[in-house]
Amino acid sequence: MFISQAHAAAEGAPQGGGMQLIFMLVMFGAIFYFMIYRPQAKRVKEHKSLMEAMGKGDEVLTGGGLVGKITKISAENDYIVIALNDNNEVTIKKDFVTAVLPKGTMKSL
């Protein structure tokens, strides 16, 4: 009894078109591109240019919060040596540098 009523109600209901589904998928793709992929690609490009622009004597901030001056750059294996003060030096990968600080930042701390 209930099945025949449900079947009868489904016959009169309009069916969704394939164009609506394609339009929704295109809209989701555009939202994904402009809100997720594009900003992330821009950040990666900026970080890559930062890595290439680093030089000896630059003051840098690492991902771990260390502030130091670059004393040595190893080009073949992407490691740098950072002098935290006159006595301490740390070797880290270039990728962990988050920012190049203005000159004189270490003296002001």
Side-chain angles (χ1 to χ4, degrees):
M1 171 165 89
F2 294 115
I3 294 173
S4 62
Q5 291 175 352
H7 184 56
E11 287 179 6
Q15 299 293 321
M19 291 301 288
Q20 291 176 348
L21 179 64
I22 292 172
F23 179 72
M24 280 190 355
L25 289 174
V26 168
M27 289 302 295
F28 283 131
I31 289 170
F32 177 79
Y33 176 77
F34 285 109
M35 295 191 74
I36 297 173
Y37 178 75
R38 194 168 173 222
Q40 181 63 27
K42 184 179 178 183
R43 272 183 287 225
V44 168
K45 185 178 178 183
E46 289 173 356
H47 192 260
K48 188 175 181 181
S49 67
L50 173 75
M51 295 298 107
E52 294 171 356
M54 281 192 310
K56 187 175 178 181
D58 287 343
E59 295 179 5
V60 294
L61 173 68
T62 67
L66 297 175
V67 176
K69 184 180 278 190
I70 298 175
T71 58
K72 183 179 174 186
I73 298 177
S74 176
E76 51 272 352
N77 56 5
D78 292 333
Y79 283 93
I80 60 174
V81 177
I82 297 176
L84 302 176
N85 56 27
D86 295 335
N87 301 326
N88 297 329
E89 288 187 343
V90 177
T91 303
I92 64 167
K93 281 191 65 74
K94 270 185 168 181
D95 299 340
F96 290 104
V97 173
T98 57
V100 175
L101 303 173
K103 299 283 184 190
T105 301
M106 288 182 63
K107 290 181 182 178
S108 66
L109 295 176

